[in-house]
Amino acid sequence: MATRKLTSEQENWLFDHYPDMTNKEIAKELTMMVQKDIDRQLKRFRQLLEEDFNGCTKKMILRKIQALEKFSGISEALVKRYARELHCPGKSREHLISCNQEKAKATNIKRWLKKAEKVEHVVEWLRSFKEKDIRFCIIEGDGHLKSMRVSINKFNRYEGYNRRIYLTSQFIPEVCLLRVNASLFRTTQ
């Protein structure tokens, strides 16, 4: 894509939204704005072609149409460059924190998927836990999730105290995993 100049309205929008959005989101929004503007210009140029102009003017209009049709979108790199030129404020602390949390979550999910196991004998699997164990099991549907949680509750009620461990679970819906943590069983007395 040839470098495209943003309109002042688009530059103002970029300046206002740069601190709170990812460059990918900004690129997508700006691409939609620019495409809307290009569509408007293309419509006007095509109407001009219908009028009777000399050969040079028609060629110039056709070149403009071809140049506008080549627009493929605004990239993240271009967003960075525009932000630098406009002296946009840096990304906000909240935005950076949320982006880092999303990256960490994605990394953790990859690690958890590698550790995940398919559990066929739930009771034996629960009995194999030691204090501070963290394991992941693959969940194959709502019924399976419910039965795993019921089994964990029964284990805690009937065997947890004697084994001195207490199991907690957390469902990770993005990848259908159940994270099971074993901690020291504490009595309240």
Side-chain angles (χ1 to χ4, degrees):
M1 174 197 118
T3 304
R4 177 160 181 85
K5 187 80 174 120
L6 294 178
T7 64
S8 59
E9 180 185 334
Q10 293 162 349
E11 286 178 351
N12 289 338
W13 183 90
L14 173 62
F15 190 87
D16 290 341
H17 292 86
Y18 185 75
D20 301 318
M21 293 174 74
T22 65
N23 291 346
K24 189 175 188 174
E25 294 168 336
I26 292 171
K28 185 178 176 184
E29 288 292 324
L30 280 176
T31 298
M32 289 189 331
M33 288 180 196
V34 170
Q35 190 62 52
K36 197 174 183 183
D37 189 39
I38 286 174
D39 291 343
R40 206 174 310 123
Q41 288 178 10
L42 282 171
K43 184 178 177 183
R44 194 181 75 223
F45 282 132
R46 287 188 177 120
Q47 286 173 345
L48 282 175
L49 274 179
E50 293 172 5
E51 295 181 20
D52 191 26
F53 286 112
N54 63 21
C56 277
T57 310
K58 266 195 173 172
K59 282 183 184 176
M60 185 184 75
I61 293 171
L62 284 171
R63 273 192 236 121
K64 290 248 185 209
I65 289 173
Q66 287 174 343
L68 288 172
E69 287 174 340
K70 286 183 182 178
F71 176 74
S72 60
I74 293 179
S75 66
E76 293 178 52
L78 204 53
V79 168
K80 278 185 176 178
R81 198 189 91 206
Y82 280 132
R84 219 177 11 256
E85 288 175 5
L86 295 172
H87 304 291
C88 291
K91 299 287 186 186
S92 70
R93 181 173 167 77
E94 294 80 18
H95 173 71
L96 292 174
I97 288 171
S98 75
C99 285
N100 289 337
Q101 286 173 343
E102 287 298 316
K103 285 180 189 174
K105 186 176 183 181
T107 302
N108 284 338
I109 285 176
K110 286 178 190 172
R111 280 195 348 242
W112 296 340
L113 280 170
K114 288 179 185 174
K115 293 180 181 180
E117 53 191 296
K118 188 171 182 175
V119 177
E120 291 182 17
H121 305 289
V122 179
V123 176
E124 287 85 20
W125 187 68
L126 294 176
R127 286 180 179 154
S128 69
F129 272 83
K130 306 267 186 272
E131 184 184 338
K132 297 184 181 178
D133 269 357
I134 299 174
R135 296 189 196 163
F136 300 89
C137 100
I138 298 168
I139 299 297
E140 297 167 346
D142 291 338
H144 189 228
L145 175 63
K146 191 173 183 177
S147 74
M148 285 297 291
R149 288 205 163 145
V150 167
S151 298
I152 289 170
N153 286 337
K154 284 183 180 179
F155 176 86
N156 285 335
R157 193 173 320 132
Y158 299 117
E159 296 184 37
Y161 182 76
N162 294 336
R163 293 180 179 273
R164 303 203 29 87
I165 61 171
Y166 183 78
L167 300 178
T168 57
S169 66
Q170 175 191 6
F171 182 60
I172 304 154
E174 294 91 346
V175 286
C176 292
L177 290 181
L178 187 67
R179 177 184 172 153
V180 182
N181 298 341
S183 55
L184 184 63
F185 198 101
R186 292 196 171 94
T187 57
T188 55
Q189 287 184 353

